[in-house]
Amino acid sequence: MPPKAPTLCAICKTNRALILRPKDHSKLCKPCFITVFETEIHHTITSNSLFHRGEKIAIGASGGKDSTVLASVLKTLNERYDYGLELVLLSIDEGIKGYRDDSLETVKRNAKQYDMPLTILGYEELYGWTMDQVVEQVGKKGNCTYCGVFRRQALDRGAARLGVRHVVTGHNADDVAETVLMNLLRGDLPRLSRSTSIVTSTPAAASGDLKSHTNIKRSKPLKYAYEKEIVLYAHHKNLDYFSTECIYSPEAFRGSARALIKNLERVRPSAILDVVRSGEDMAKLVPGNDDDRSCGGACSSNVPAAEEEEGGCGSANGRTAGGEMAHMERHLAQNEAAAENELEVEITIPKPKKAGNKKPKANGMAPQKPNKQQVLGQCKICGYISSQEVCKACVLLEGLNKSQPKNRIEVVYDEKENQVLDGATNGMAKAALGPG
Amino acid sequence: MAVKDNNDIADQPCRRCKNNPSVLVVRTEPLCRECFVRYVNTKIIKRMESFRVRHAAPGQQRKILLPLSFGVSSLVLLHVLDFQLKTQSEKSGRTGFSLCVVYIDASTVDSSAPDAAMLQHVQERYPHDYATVPLQTLFELLPLDDPLLISLCAPDLPSTATSSDRISSLLSSLTSSTARADVLPMLRTRLLVEEAKQRGCEGILWGDSTTKLAEKTLSETAKGRGYSLPWHIADGESPLGIPFHYPNRDVLKKELVAYIDLADPPLSSLVHGPSAASTTTSMSSKTTTIDELMKNYFESVEENFPSIVANVVRTAGKLQVKETRRTAAQCNLCNMPVTDGRFGIHGWGGDQEDGLQSAGPSSGLCYGCSRTIPNGLR
């Protein structure tokens, strides 16, 4: 701070303002910033009725700033406002040396600091593959797809193991805004509409046989919190977090959207929140979504289904597959060329359905069936919720296991096959063990 | 620009006529000058399907308003439609429509506005109806009870204040360049709509390219107007009570830029301001606007991923406003229909100030306009 006339905190009007609040550029003192940040998360939690008394909540903890702040704030709020929650930490070990092994050490310290039990579940244990091994196999391009798909299931399976029905993740406003722009860029409206929702769930499968890992609720209490404020909060509370980005981070749609969000924030600080608002409003305009979601998708009767491959990288630094834009460009260009030559009718613009027009509206709380086009069932291999016959994780695993070069099977690989078998006993990857 | 940017392909002869040397590569296809001009003409004229001669009742001329800004897009549109009209008259002795070309002169508030004298040259080359309308005329044309007009009567302005005073006062009250860049086109659109109605035009032909529509999609999203996206890019009835058409919607901005030089004779002398190469503004500059940010972004995406640009527009076009919601109250500034009375920036999940009612419903401004004019219209 330059030694000018000291500016006083805009809230308490007593202390010297030391923090320029990223969200609205108001000048605050440290205690007031901490309080206002926590109060806003509390507001998000209560106004969306995210939790109920006695609920056991697993915090998806990566050791990064977002989940560390989430754990810290939830602990604080749980005590301050007597939510009556049982908080536990759930970490997924993707098996990335030099990144995850270090960040897991952070999570272990957090568990002690916050006095929360910690469970670590590894990709290796679940799928028979660590991310390092996946990358060795598929290369750096596209590996984030594997990681994202595996992580979503991993969190659900981990939660089920702990007997937890609700997992909270550290997704912040920047992540949500980034996802809105990213899905506009890649033309994915269903996902755009799901990603803006504060609560999603892996719905119970249509069949009566409910596997324990279905129907796990997901929510994002930091949905409206700016990344910069999360960093500030972590800094001023001296939180112990791990700040290295994932080492496998190729640029693509997400990277592109992320850069845009950062630039937008520079031009107009409210822009991140404004994109989130736009995303919520646009979700109501997606064909097939009933438009009575004035609650922004937060009402319990209004929970959009999370799709198996939703989410991409859980960390804010995640990027989706490299070369993705080029790949999509080629695909779209081929469609255009075909349409131009009148080889096919334009199917890219399906005739809009006038769905749900005459439905009576029960004061804006009508239960809705998002994404009617998709029928969710169960993966025939692992039983995980899936809109396809075989879930995305099993498809990816099958590919991985097939393309594993035979001539290189050595002791190490024998070991891995055993692990695959372990995975199979978990209900995973049985078919993936087929010849090849 | 796009001219000969890919040497490997560009050294080949034109892929369409297989005869002439190619002069540029259009979406991986090397094309000669003639074939490129025909490509652009066809894409634009295809969009004018409903204005063919056979759809026009004899003796009753259908008039459409074409806003001219002297930018690349509106000039190419004028050039191509002029060509279409000539072709129509040659073939059938009559035309399917006639053009009212209107230039909105914003020089009272925008020092970089083109000189109205430029219209002379355009007029000589393309004989149609022309008019120059000063932007401040908006305040004379609007009905007296128009909410915009009422709210724009700044209390500190004397009743003798001219419409120029009013518009200057409005724009100078905006605190950021993003806000000014946001409001100016809205006023311009509003005025063009009034002009079109007065002149008995049945619609407005906007010059927006694919790229521009993609820019609008993301920048309206960024400005908090995601709710109104279906209205910003769709052909057909607009919330302003007159149909909007976007005949350039299938042409990329870089293609329109290339057309300026490749048309015969070139249109470059008619273009105002920085025509060709993008004006890459510094991202860190305080004067950068959200609109410019998106413009720069899509100009870069367009270079290598033209289909992704088009896909953004197609995707946004799939968003639909429910029939029952079309009659919703409109925002006083941008005129977009706001559903469920969701005016102002308060009262949603992202608003952490419970029960705070400042520039709320009473301002009559939508979420996005409330960001642009935080204290509400005066």
PDB file of all heavy atoms in Angstrom, chain A residues 239-264:
ATOM      1  N   LEU A 239      -4.060 -20.865   4.678  1.00  0.00           N
ATOM      2  CA  LEU A 239      -4.435 -22.258   4.441  1.00  0.00           C
ATOM      3  C   LEU A 239      -3.285 -22.984   3.754  1.00  0.00           C
ATOM      4  O   LEU A 239      -2.515 -22.403   2.997  1.00  0.00           O
ATOM      5  CB  LEU A 239      -5.719 -22.342   3.602  1.00  0.00           C
ATOM      6  CG  LEU A 239      -6.969 -21.720   4.219  1.00  0.00           C
ATOM      7  CD1 LEU A 239      -8.190 -22.027   3.369  1.00  0.00           C
ATOM      8  CD2 LEU A 239      -7.182 -22.223   5.647  1.00  0.00           C
ATOM      9  N   ASP A 240      -3.230 -24.241   4.023  1.00  0.00           N
ATOM     10  CA  ASP A 240      -2.166 -25.090   3.508  1.00  0.00           C
ATOM     11  C   ASP A 240      -2.689 -25.771   2.237  1.00  0.00           C
ATOM     12  O   ASP A 240      -3.495 -26.694   2.309  1.00  0.00           O
ATOM     13  CB  ASP A 240      -1.858 -26.123   4.602  1.00  0.00           C
ATOM     14  CG  ASP A 240      -0.743 -27.074   4.193  1.00  0.00           C
ATOM     15  OD1 ASP A 240      -0.142 -26.879   3.116  1.00  0.00           O
ATOM     16  OD2 ASP A 240      -0.480 -28.006   4.972  1.00  0.00           O
ATOM     17  N   TYR A 241      -2.292 -25.250   1.077  1.00  0.00           N
ATOM     18  CA  TYR A 241      -2.771 -25.897  -0.146  1.00  0.00           C
ATOM     19  C   TYR A 241      -1.644 -26.060  -1.152  1.00  0.00           C
ATOM     20  O   TYR A 241      -0.581 -25.470  -1.033  1.00  0.00           O
ATOM     21  CB  TYR A 241      -3.954 -25.148  -0.761  1.00  0.00           C
ATOM     22  CG  TYR A 241      -3.639 -23.776  -1.345  1.00  0.00           C
ATOM     23  CD1 TYR A 241      -3.304 -23.633  -2.683  1.00  0.00           C
ATOM     24  CD2 TYR A 241      -3.703 -22.645  -0.543  1.00  0.00           C
ATOM     25  CE1 TYR A 241      -3.030 -22.387  -3.220  1.00  0.00           C
ATOM     26  CE2 TYR A 241      -3.428 -21.394  -1.073  1.00  0.00           C
ATOM     27  CZ  TYR A 241      -3.088 -21.267  -2.416  1.00  0.00           C
ATOM     28  OH  TYR A 241      -2.818 -20.044  -2.931  1.00  0.00           O
ATOM     29  N   PHE A 242      -1.923 -26.860  -2.146  1.00  0.00           N
ATOM     30  CA  PHE A 242      -0.926 -27.256  -3.128  1.00  0.00           C
ATOM     31  C   PHE A 242      -1.249 -26.519  -4.421  1.00  0.00           C
ATOM     32  O   PHE A 242      -2.367 -26.599  -4.928  1.00  0.00           O
ATOM     33  CB  PHE A 242      -1.029 -28.773  -3.327  1.00  0.00           C
ATOM     34  CG  PHE A 242      -0.002 -29.338  -4.254  1.00  0.00           C
ATOM     35  CD1 PHE A 242       1.302 -29.533  -3.830  1.00  0.00           C
ATOM     36  CD2 PHE A 242      -0.340 -29.693  -5.550  1.00  0.00           C
ATOM     37  CE1 PHE A 242       2.248 -30.071  -4.673  1.00  0.00           C
ATOM     38  CE2 PHE A 242       0.606 -30.231  -6.402  1.00  0.00           C
ATOM     39  CZ  PHE A 242       1.907 -30.420  -5.965  1.00  0.00           C
ATOM     40  N   SER A 243      -0.266 -25.761  -4.948  1.00  0.00           N
ATOM     41  CA  SER A 243      -0.656 -24.870  -6.039  1.00  0.00           C
ATOM     42  C   SER A 243      -0.090 -25.239  -7.413  1.00  0.00           C
ATOM     43  O   SER A 243      -0.240 -24.490  -8.358  1.00  0.00           O
ATOM     44  CB  SER A 243      -0.246 -23.439  -5.694  1.00  0.00           C
ATOM     45  OG  SER A 243       1.133 -23.402  -5.426  1.00  0.00           O
ATOM     46  N   THR A 244       0.516 -26.394  -7.526  1.00  0.00           N
ATOM     47  CA  THR A 244       1.037 -26.767  -8.846  1.00  0.00           C
ATOM     48  C   THR A 244      -0.104 -27.266  -9.737  1.00  0.00           C
ATOM     49  O   THR A 244      -0.984 -27.983  -9.280  1.00  0.00           O
ATOM     50  CB  THR A 244       2.095 -27.873  -8.711  1.00  0.00           C
ATOM     51  OG1 THR A 244       3.095 -27.398  -7.820  1.00  0.00           O
ATOM     52  CG2 THR A 244       2.721 -28.192 -10.042  1.00  0.00           C
ATOM     53  N   GLU A 245      -0.057 -26.838 -10.988  1.00  0.00           N
ATOM     54  CA  GLU A 245      -1.084 -27.300 -11.908  1.00  0.00           C
ATOM     55  C   GLU A 245      -0.775 -28.721 -12.347  1.00  0.00           C
ATOM     56  O   GLU A 245       0.372 -29.160 -12.312  1.00  0.00           O
ATOM     57  CB  GLU A 245      -1.117 -26.399 -13.149  1.00  0.00           C
ATOM     58  CG  GLU A 245      -1.528 -24.995 -12.816  1.00  0.00           C
ATOM     59  CD  GLU A 245      -1.875 -24.198 -14.059  1.00  0.00           C
ATOM     60  OE1 GLU A 245      -2.026 -24.817 -15.129  1.00  0.00           O
ATOM     61  OE2 GLU A 245      -1.993 -22.981 -13.940  1.00  0.00           O
ATOM     62  N   CYS A 246      -1.816 -29.387 -12.790  1.00  0.00           N
ATOM     63  CA  CYS A 246      -1.629 -30.729 -13.317  1.00  0.00           C
ATOM     64  C   CYS A 246      -0.606 -30.665 -14.443  1.00  0.00           C
ATOM     65  O   CYS A 246      -0.611 -29.763 -15.273  1.00  0.00           O
ATOM     66  CB  CYS A 246      -2.955 -31.281 -13.844  1.00  0.00           C
ATOM     67  SG  CYS A 246      -2.764 -32.894 -14.620  1.00  0.00           S
ATOM     68  N   ILE A 247       0.280 -31.648 -14.470  1.00  0.00           N
ATOM     69  CA  ILE A 247       1.341 -31.613 -15.480  1.00  0.00           C
ATOM     70  C   ILE A 247       0.836 -31.984 -16.873  1.00  0.00           C
ATOM     71  O   ILE A 247       1.480 -31.718 -17.863  1.00  0.00           O
ATOM     72  CB  ILE A 247       2.505 -32.557 -15.085  1.00  0.00           C
ATOM     73  CG1 ILE A 247       1.960 -33.935 -14.713  1.00  0.00           C
ATOM     74  CG2 ILE A 247       3.285 -31.964 -13.933  1.00  0.00           C
ATOM     75  CD1 ILE A 247       3.048 -34.974 -14.488  1.00  0.00           C
ATOM     76  N   TYR A 248      -0.330 -32.596 -16.928  1.00  0.00           N
ATOM     77  CA  TYR A 248      -0.892 -32.929 -18.239  1.00  0.00           C
ATOM     78  C   TYR A 248      -1.958 -31.904 -18.602  1.00  0.00           C
ATOM     79  O   TYR A 248      -3.120 -32.087 -18.345  1.00  0.00           O
ATOM     80  CB  TYR A 248      -1.539 -34.327 -18.218  1.00  0.00           C
ATOM     81  CG  TYR A 248      -0.596 -35.420 -17.800  1.00  0.00           C
ATOM     82  CD1 TYR A 248      -0.946 -36.324 -16.811  1.00  0.00           C
ATOM     83  CD2 TYR A 248       0.658 -35.560 -18.410  1.00  0.00           C
ATOM     84  CE1 TYR A 248      -0.092 -37.339 -16.433  1.00  0.00           C
ATOM     85  CE2 TYR A 248       1.524 -36.575 -18.034  1.00  0.00           C
ATOM     86  CZ  TYR A 248       1.151 -37.459 -17.045  1.00  0.00           C
ATOM     87  OH  TYR A 248       1.989 -38.462 -16.664  1.00  0.00           O
ATOM     88  N   SER A 249      -1.553 -30.792 -19.197  1.00  0.00           N
ATOM     89  CA  SER A 249      -2.538 -29.744 -19.477  1.00  0.00           C
ATOM     90  C   SER A 249      -2.433 -29.169 -20.878  1.00  0.00           C
ATOM     91  O   SER A 249      -1.918 -28.082 -21.057  1.00  0.00           O
ATOM     92  CB  SER A 249      -2.387 -28.594 -18.480  1.00  0.00           C
ATOM     93  OG  SER A 249      -2.498 -29.074 -17.193  1.00  0.00           O
ATOM     94  N   PRO A 250      -2.895 -29.874 -21.864  1.00  0.00           N
ATOM     95  CA  PRO A 250      -2.873 -29.295 -23.205  1.00  0.00           C
ATOM     96  C   PRO A 250      -3.983 -28.264 -23.373  1.00  0.00           C
ATOM     97  O   PRO A 250      -4.980 -28.325 -22.659  1.00  0.00           O
ATOM     98  CB  PRO A 250      -3.114 -30.498 -24.105  1.00  0.00           C
ATOM     99  CG  PRO A 250      -3.863 -31.470 -23.270  1.00  0.00           C
ATOM    100  CD  PRO A 250      -3.527 -31.188 -21.840  1.00  0.00           C
ATOM    101  N   GLU A 251      -3.774 -27.336 -24.271  1.00  0.00           N
ATOM    102  CA  GLU A 251      -4.813 -26.322 -24.458  1.00  0.00           C
ATOM    103  C   GLU A 251      -5.911 -26.845 -25.375  1.00  0.00           C
ATOM    104  O   GLU A 251      -5.687 -27.718 -26.165  1.00  0.00           O
ATOM    105  CB  GLU A 251      -4.230 -25.035 -25.048  1.00  0.00           C
ATOM    106  CG  GLU A 251      -3.393 -25.209 -26.314  1.00  0.00           C
ATOM    107  CD  GLU A 251      -4.209 -25.419 -27.573  1.00  0.00           C
ATOM    108  OE1 GLU A 251      -5.233 -24.726 -27.726  1.00  0.00           O
ATOM    109  OE2 GLU A 251      -3.820 -26.274 -28.388  1.00  0.00           O
ATOM    110  N   ALA A 252      -7.080 -26.300 -25.248  1.00  0.00           N
ATOM    111  CA  ALA A 252      -8.185 -26.660 -26.134  1.00  0.00           C
ATOM    112  C   ALA A 252      -9.339 -25.724 -25.848  1.00  0.00           C
ATOM    113  O   ALA A 252      -9.120 -24.593 -25.442  1.00  0.00           O
ATOM    114  CB  ALA A 252      -8.606 -28.098 -25.933  1.00  0.00           C
ATOM    115  N   PHE A 253     -10.556 -26.223 -26.022  1.00  0.00           N
ATOM    116  CA  PHE A 253     -11.727 -25.390 -25.788  1.00  0.00           C
ATOM    117  C   PHE A 253     -11.701 -24.769 -24.394  1.00  0.00           C
ATOM    118  O   PHE A 253     -11.929 -23.593 -24.222  1.00  0.00           O
ATOM    119  CB  PHE A 253     -13.000 -26.206 -25.924  1.00  0.00           C
ATOM    120  CG  PHE A 253     -13.400 -26.435 -27.342  1.00  0.00           C
ATOM    121  CD1 PHE A 253     -13.347 -27.688 -27.904  1.00  0.00           C
ATOM    122  CD2 PHE A 253     -13.827 -25.372 -28.126  1.00  0.00           C
ATOM    123  CE1 PHE A 253     -13.716 -27.898 -29.219  1.00  0.00           C
ATOM    124  CE2 PHE A 253     -14.211 -25.568 -29.432  1.00  0.00           C
ATOM    125  CZ  PHE A 253     -14.152 -26.836 -29.991  1.00  0.00           C
ATOM    126  N   ARG A 254     -11.393 -25.617 -23.405  1.00  0.00           N
ATOM    127  CA  ARG A 254     -11.424 -25.115 -22.051  1.00  0.00           C
ATOM    128  C   ARG A 254     -10.363 -24.051 -21.825  1.00  0.00           C
ATOM    129  O   ARG A 254     -10.628 -23.024 -21.208  1.00  0.00           O
ATOM    130  CB  ARG A 254     -11.270 -26.245 -21.038  1.00  0.00           C
ATOM    131  CG  ARG A 254     -11.527 -25.804 -19.610  1.00  0.00           C
ATOM    132  CD  ARG A 254     -11.566 -26.971 -18.648  1.00  0.00           C
ATOM    133  NE  ARG A 254     -12.809 -27.715 -18.677  1.00  0.00           N
ATOM    134  CZ  ARG A 254     -13.908 -27.344 -18.033  1.00  0.00           C
ATOM    135  NH1 ARG A 254     -13.925 -26.233 -17.330  1.00  0.00           N
ATOM    136  NH2 ARG A 254     -14.993 -28.067 -18.094  1.00  0.00           N
ATOM    137  N   GLY A 255      -9.188 -24.289 -22.393  1.00  0.00           N
ATOM    138  CA  GLY A 255      -8.115 -23.308 -22.253  1.00  0.00           C
ATOM    139  C   GLY A 255      -8.507 -21.998 -22.909  1.00  0.00           C
ATOM    140  O   GLY A 255      -8.301 -20.903 -22.368  1.00  0.00           O
ATOM    141  N   SER A 256      -9.112 -22.116 -24.064  1.00  0.00           N
ATOM    142  CA  SER A 256      -9.562 -20.963 -24.821  1.00  0.00           C
ATOM    143  C   SER A 256     -10.629 -20.183 -24.050  1.00  0.00           C
ATOM    144  O   SER A 256     -10.556 -18.952 -23.924  1.00  0.00           O
ATOM    145  CB  SER A 256     -10.135 -21.486 -26.148  1.00  0.00           C
ATOM    146  OG  SER A 256     -10.487 -20.459 -26.997  1.00  0.00           O
ATOM    147  N   ALA A 257     -11.574 -20.920 -23.497  1.00  0.00           N
ATOM    148  CA  ALA A 257     -12.634 -20.279 -22.724  1.00  0.00           C
ATOM    149  C   ALA A 257     -12.063 -19.651 -21.463  1.00  0.00           C
ATOM    150  O   ALA A 257     -12.468 -18.567 -21.048  1.00  0.00           O
ATOM    151  CB  ALA A 257     -13.704 -21.314 -22.361  1.00  0.00           C
ATOM    152  N   ARG A 258     -11.069 -20.330 -20.881  1.00  0.00           N
ATOM    153  CA  ARG A 258     -10.474 -19.823 -19.654  1.00  0.00           C
ATOM    154  C   ARG A 258      -9.785 -18.476 -19.894  1.00  0.00           C
ATOM    155  O   ARG A 258      -9.929 -17.543 -19.113  1.00  0.00           O
ATOM    156  CB  ARG A 258      -9.467 -20.844 -19.120  1.00  0.00           C
ATOM    157  CG  ARG A 258      -8.906 -20.463 -17.778  1.00  0.00           C
ATOM    158  CD  ARG A 258      -8.468 -21.689 -16.988  1.00  0.00           C
ATOM    159  NE  ARG A 258      -8.369 -21.370 -15.583  1.00  0.00           N
ATOM    160  CZ  ARG A 258      -9.382 -21.380 -14.746  1.00  0.00           C
ATOM    161  NH1 ARG A 258     -10.580 -21.684 -15.174  1.00  0.00           N
ATOM    162  NH2 ARG A 258      -9.214 -21.086 -13.485  1.00  0.00           N
ATOM    163  N   ALA A 259      -9.060 -18.408 -21.007  1.00  0.00           N
ATOM    164  CA  ALA A 259      -8.369 -17.164 -21.338  1.00  0.00           C
ATOM    165  C   ALA A 259      -9.385 -16.037 -21.551  1.00  0.00           C
ATOM    166  O   ALA A 259      -9.184 -14.902 -21.107  1.00  0.00           O
ATOM    167  CB  ALA A 259      -7.524 -17.360 -22.589  1.00  0.00           C
ATOM    168  N   LEU A 260     -10.492 -16.372 -22.198  1.00  0.00           N
ATOM    169  CA  LEU A 260     -11.531 -15.375 -22.431  1.00  0.00           C
ATOM    170  C   LEU A 260     -12.097 -14.857 -21.115  1.00  0.00           C
ATOM    171  O   LEU A 260     -12.268 -13.653 -20.929  1.00  0.00           O
ATOM    172  CB  LEU A 260     -12.674 -16.006 -23.222  1.00  0.00           C
ATOM    173  CG  LEU A 260     -12.759 -15.699 -24.706  1.00  0.00           C
ATOM    174  CD1 LEU A 260     -13.968 -16.393 -25.298  1.00  0.00           C
ATOM    175  CD2 LEU A 260     -12.845 -14.202 -24.951  1.00  0.00           C
ATOM    176  N   ILE A 261     -12.375 -15.779 -20.208  1.00  0.00           N
ATOM    177  CA  ILE A 261     -12.930 -15.394 -18.912  1.00  0.00           C
ATOM    178  C   ILE A 261     -11.986 -14.454 -18.173  1.00  0.00           C
ATOM    179  O   ILE A 261     -12.396 -13.441 -17.604  1.00  0.00           O
ATOM    180  CB  ILE A 261     -13.221 -16.651 -18.050  1.00  0.00           C
ATOM    181  CG1 ILE A 261     -14.403 -17.431 -18.621  1.00  0.00           C
ATOM    182  CG2 ILE A 261     -13.486 -16.293 -16.602  1.00  0.00           C
ATOM    183  CD1 ILE A 261     -15.729 -16.720 -18.502  1.00  0.00           C
ATOM    184  N   LYS A 262     -10.692 -14.790 -18.224  1.00  0.00           N
ATOM    185  CA  LYS A 262      -9.704 -13.945 -17.537  1.00  0.00           C
ATOM    186  C   LYS A 262      -9.695 -12.538 -18.139  1.00  0.00           C
ATOM    187  O   LYS A 262      -9.613 -11.540 -17.421  1.00  0.00           O
ATOM    188  CB  LYS A 262      -8.307 -14.575 -17.633  1.00  0.00           C
ATOM    189  CG  LYS A 262      -8.157 -15.833 -16.799  1.00  0.00           C
ATOM    190  CD  LYS A 262      -8.086 -15.508 -15.303  1.00  0.00           C
ATOM    191  CE  LYS A 262      -8.357 -16.738 -14.460  1.00  0.00           C
ATOM    192  NZ  LYS A 262      -9.054 -16.440 -13.210  1.00  0.00           N
ATOM    193  N   ASN A 263      -9.752 -12.474 -19.471  1.00  0.00           N
ATOM    194  CA  ASN A 263      -9.769 -11.160 -20.123  1.00  0.00           C
ATOM    195  C   ASN A 263     -11.045 -10.389 -19.811  1.00  0.00           C
ATOM    196  O   ASN A 263     -11.018  -9.179 -19.605  1.00  0.00           O
ATOM    197  CB  ASN A 263      -9.627 -11.319 -21.646  1.00  0.00           C
ATOM    198  CG  ASN A 263      -8.195 -11.625 -22.038  1.00  0.00           C
ATOM    199  OD1 ASN A 263      -7.266 -11.160 -21.385  1.00  0.00           O
ATOM    200  ND2 ASN A 263      -8.011 -12.402 -23.078  1.00  0.00           N
ATOM    201  N   LEU A 264     -12.151 -11.110 -19.806  1.00  0.00           N
ATOM    202  CA  LEU A 264     -13.434 -10.467 -19.482  1.00  0.00           C
ATOM    203  C   LEU A 264     -13.401  -9.880 -18.084  1.00  0.00           C
ATOM    204  O   LEU A 264     -13.832  -8.755 -17.854  1.00  0.00           O
ATOM    205  CB  LEU A 264     -14.573 -11.485 -19.566  1.00  0.00           C
ATOM    206  CG  LEU A 264     -15.094 -11.832 -20.948  1.00  0.00           C
ATOM    207  CD1 LEU A 264     -16.058 -13.001 -20.870  1.00  0.00           C
ATOM    208  CD2 LEU A 264     -15.777 -10.629 -21.574  1.00  0.00           C
TER     209      LEU A 264
END
